[in-house]
Amino acid sequence: MIDHPVADFSRPATGGKEYRLSDSLGHPVVLYFYPKDNTPGCTTEASDFRDLHAEFSALGCQVIGVSRDSVKSHENFKTKLNLPFDLLSDADESLCNQFAVIKLKTMYGKACRGVERSTFVIDAKGVLRREWRGVKTAGHAREVLDYVRSL
């Protein structure tokens, strides 16, 4: 549901930190959910957000990636790709459930639960302003940046 306040949350983050949404009030936040570290689509998406990070920062916007991977996995992924933003570990799926990004998928002919690639823009007041679900990575980070510029 767009244009409603996002409930505060806290998740373990890279860099030995605990990320809390309420600490970001006063700045827009791009929260992007992805299925798994070190997979082709997720690597492309993270790299695209990395390459545009200076432009997001110039707008005062934080970019945060989220998956169910461990913080250790995230640390390796972040180092490998030289990501300038934090990744949150949501191993218990509480944040995935808050944003309803867990979907039934088919992998190798079998049904399994997985993260649907999704992005959410939360404004400086903590209000959800835009969401993208079932994201295709090509051009997505640029589209998100263009939207953040319009806030």
Side-chain angles (χ1 to χ4, degrees), residues 122-137:
I122 302 164
D123 73 11
K125 295 178 182 171
V127 175
L128 180 63
R129 290 293 175 200
R130 178 87 193 264
E131 64 180 45
W132 291 262
R133 293 182 183 269
V135 167
K136 303 293 183 232
T137 58

Side-chain angles (χ1 to χ4, degrees), residues 27-73:
H27 302 279
V29 174
V30 169
L31 195 65
Y32 80 92
F33 289 82
Y34 63 97
K36 188 150 185 57
D37 292 341
N38 294 304
T39 56
C42 299
T43 298
T44 298
E45 184 176 30
S47 298
D48 289 350
F49 276 115
R50 176 199 63 208
D51 295 347
L52 295 172
H53 189 261
E55 293 179 62
F56 281 103
S57 291
L59 298 169
C61 182
Q62 293 180 320
V63 174
I64 306 288
V66 183
S67 84
R68 300 179 297 176
D69 293 303
S70 68
V71 171
K72 183 175 184 199
S73 175

Side-chain angles (χ1 to χ4, degrees), residues 55-56 59 140-151:
E55 293 179 62
F56 281 103
L59 298 169
H140 176 65
R142 173 68 61 190
E143 182 182 355
V144 174
L145 177 63
D146 290 344
Y147 178 76
V148 170
R149 281 193 178 112
S150 77
L151 289 177

Side-chain angles (χ1 to χ4, degrees), residues 2-40:
I2 305 294
D3 294 332
H4 69 85
V6 175
D8 197 17
F9 61 82
S10 174
R11 300 303 310 145
T14 47
K17 298 179 274 200
E18 185 78 14
Y19 176 84
R20 183 175 303 281
L21 180 63
S22 56
D23 292 343
S24 296
L25 287 176
H27 302 279
V29 174
V30 169
L31 195 65
Y32 80 92
F33 289 82
Y34 63 97
K36 188 150 185 57
D37 292 341
N38 294 304
T39 56

Side-chain angles (χ1 to χ4, degrees), residues 53-93:
H53 189 261
E55 293 179 62
F56 281 103
S57 291
L59 298 169
C61 182
Q62 293 180 320
V63 174
I64 306 288
V66 183
S67 84
R68 300 179 297 176
D69 293 303
S70 68
V71 171
K72 183 175 184 199
S73 175
H74 282 342
E75 291 289 3
N76 293 335
F77 189 52
K78 182 176 176 175
T79 299
K80 179 179 173 182
L81 296 180
N82 196 27
L83 301 178
F85 50 85
D86 284 321
L87 302 175
L88 308 185
S89 175
D90 191 39
D92 70 1
E93 300 180 358

